[in-house]
Amino acid sequence: MKKKIGRNDPCPCGSGKKYKKCCLGKNRVPVNKTASEFGGISVSRLALTMFDQEILDNPEMLKEISEISEKIAENFPDEKSSFKDFISGMWTRKKLKVMSTSAIIEKLESMGVDFKEERFKEQAQNYVSAIQLAEDHYYTQNFHAGGSDEDFIWLAIIELWDRITPEKFSVEKIDDLMQEGYKDIEKRSYKSGMEKWEKTWVMIKSLVPANLHSVEEADEFFSELTQFISNWCQDFEMELHNAGLEDSSFFAKRIKYCRDFCRIFPLSDELILQNMLIAEAESYAAIGDIATADKKFQDLIKRFPNNAWGYITWGDMYCESKLDSDAPVNYEKAEKIYRLGLANCNTEIDAVNERLEYLENNRKGSKSSKT
């Protein structure tokens, strides 16, 4: 079984594009468009502050953007402050983390914000987002703050939420763990990344309202996140697979996660559900439970008879070197499953034919080695 390609990895087709912008859409749900691709959708505050921090932490990026902004500023001689001064003067979560709790509260009070810890604890019980709490209870006050100081308020509420009500989950805590997990995965630290994402999933399950039944609805509910829930959920499935290549226990976790997803978000896009069911069946094969894997694939194609990748992955289970499982190599069975896909599907036919060609070449190679 090969490592699954991450959304942000170079596409293996050689196009030069990221996988998510190229071939990923051929067998997975296309990622949602980002805010920059949708002119009418604003970028979340968390995404903006994360971008600001990345610039501050990257001297080369800061220098490059500063040089560009200085060239633009030549047309505006009255503007005295540089981009570097501007970005350095902005409040970020990193700056607040080194401040004491008393210093943060004193800063709020100096801006005319009335903040009381006990009242804040009571307020937090009715919210899942620190940013929304700030909007409803602190930006409605008659405070006085100019420029980047206005951002200090919502950043302070996020930080104080972590310190004053550490036991209470929030959208912002989900975002933190999600992004930390992505960083671990970029370093190929799968175990650490998956531990963070398992906690992320626990938080999502605890916060998502019972009346939401699709991951697309969850995207709307968790609108402040820097990553779409629908994208992250698919990433989690893929990375559990990659982690399983190093530690097979992650395949068992992948099975549970896929079941959880289909139970909690049963009305999600059909292709997402199909991919989760394929991943579940594939994982049973990876841990050696071939009988259950066969049953899961049978259930899958009965429910979604037009999904070519259900047949492909099932056939791969019996095709040497196509899927790392304990299933015995059985070219006849693999061919039968692939041909069943050809008979039932009208898309991804080329992929099925490629499997049949691969199978035939392997079969010939196997015969040659015996003679």
Side-chain angles (χ1 to χ4, degrees), residues 1 23 47 57 100 103 106 125 145-146 148 152 154 171 173 175 214 232 236 284 317 320-322 335 352 371:
M1 189 184 294
C23 293
D57 291 341
S100 66
E106 286 173 9
Q125 299 311 308
S148 63
F152 181 87
W154 67 269
V171 171
K173 288 183 179 181
D175 197 79
S214 75
W232 175 82
F236 190 20
Y284 274 111
M317 194 171 81
E320 185 177 19
S321 79
K322 269 295 180 184
E335 181 179 359
V352 181
T371 57

Side-chain angles (χ1 to χ4, degrees), residues 342-362:
L342 283 179
N344 287 284
C345 302
N346 51 23
T347 60
E348 302 289 355
I349 300 302
D350 288 347
V352 181
N353 281 321
E354 285 175 7
R355 286 303 201 273
L356 284 166
E357 183 180 349
Y358 176 91
L359 184 149
E360 188 59 28
N361 290 335
N362 259 31

Side-chain angles (χ1 to χ4, degrees), residues 37 54 60 63 84-85 101 126 169 176 178 202 213 232 247 263 330-331 356 358 368:
E37 293 169 316
E54 285 180 356
E60 291 184 5
K63 180 182 177 182
K84 185 175 181 180
D85 292 336
T101 299
N126 299 316
F169 296 156
D176 287 345
M178 198 179 279
V202 168
H213 302 294
W232 175 82
D247 181 348
R263 174 178 55 81
N330 188 330
Y331 293 133
L356 284 166
Y358 176 91
S368 298

Side-chain angles (χ1 to χ4, degrees), residues 116-130:
K116 299 291 186 296
E117 284 196 34
E118 288 305 314
R119 184 176 61 205
F120 177 79
K121 287 180 183 178
E122 294 175 4
Q123 292 168 341
Q125 299 311 308
N126 299 316
Y127 286 83
V128 298
S129 167

Side-chain angles (χ1 to χ4, degrees), residues 129-323:
S129 167
I131 291 175
Q132 190 59 53
L133 189 157
E135 290 284 356
D136 291 349
H137 293 280
Y138 295 94
Y139 279 101
T140 53
Q141 296 183 23
N142 188 27
F143 64 90
H144 46 83
S148 63
D149 271 355
E150 281 198 33
D151 289 335
F152 181 87
I153 298 174
W154 67 269
L155 291 167
I157 298 305
I158 292 177
E159 185 62 29
L160 292 171
W161 183 303
D162 283 344
R163 299 184 191 189
I164 297 173
T165 59
E167 75 290 343
K168 193 173 191 312
F169 296 156
S170 70
V171 171
E172 293 77 19
K173 288 183 179 181
I174 288 174
D175 197 79
D176 287 345
L177 278 174
M178 198 179 279
Q179 296 308 318
E180 288 171 15
Y182 276 115
K183 290 177 182 177
D184 285 343
I185 291 164
E186 286 178 5
K187 300 173 186 174
R188 298 295 186 261
S189 299
Y190 290 114
K191 183 176 181 181
S192 177
M194 291 304 94
E195 286 176 355
K196 290 183 175 72
W197 278 9
E198 285 178 61
K199 293 177 182 177
T200 302
W201 181 235
V202 168
M203 290 186 183
I204 290 171
K205 289 191 295 182
S206 70
L207 294 185
V208 69
N211 64 330
L212 300 188
H213 302 294
S214 75
V215 73
E216 292 78 17
E217 291 174 312
D219 280 335
E220 294 295 325
F221 182 74
F222 294 109
S223 60
E224 280 291 346
L225 291 175
T226 56
Q227 173 68 284
F228 287 106
I229 290 288
S230 53
N231 287 348
W232 175 82
C233 283
Q234 294 179 84
D235 287 342
F236 190 20
E237 176 268 301
M238 285 198 303
E239 298 303 345
L240 280 169
H241 168 279
N242 292 335
L245 299 180
E246 297 181 1
D247 181 348
S248 61
S249 67
F250 283 102
F251 283 118
K253 293 179 179 180
R254 188 176 181 222
I255 289 170
K256 182 180 184 305
Y257 166 67
C258 291
R259 282 182 182 171
D260 272 358
F261 180 93
C262 293
R263 174 178 55 81
I264 296 169
F265 298 128
L267 301 183
S268 297
D269 183 283
E270 276 199 354
L271 189 50
I272 295 182
L273 293 174
Q274 291 167 20
N275 287 333
M276 290 293 177
L277 293 171
I278 289 172
E280 180 188 359
E282 179 188 56
S283 296
Y284 274 111
I287 63 175
D289 190 347
I290 306 305
T292 302
D294 271 328
K295 176 65 167 57
K296 291 294 180 180
F297 278 119
Q298 288 166 3
D299 292 343
L300 169 68
I301 65 171
K302 183 176 181 181
R303 181 177 173 185
F304 300 110
N306 297 316
N307 186 307
W309 287 96
Y311 300 96
I312 290 171
T313 313
W314 188 14
D316 287 352
M317 194 171 81
Y318 292 100
C319 191
E320 185 177 19
S321 79
K322 269 295 180 184
L323 192 66

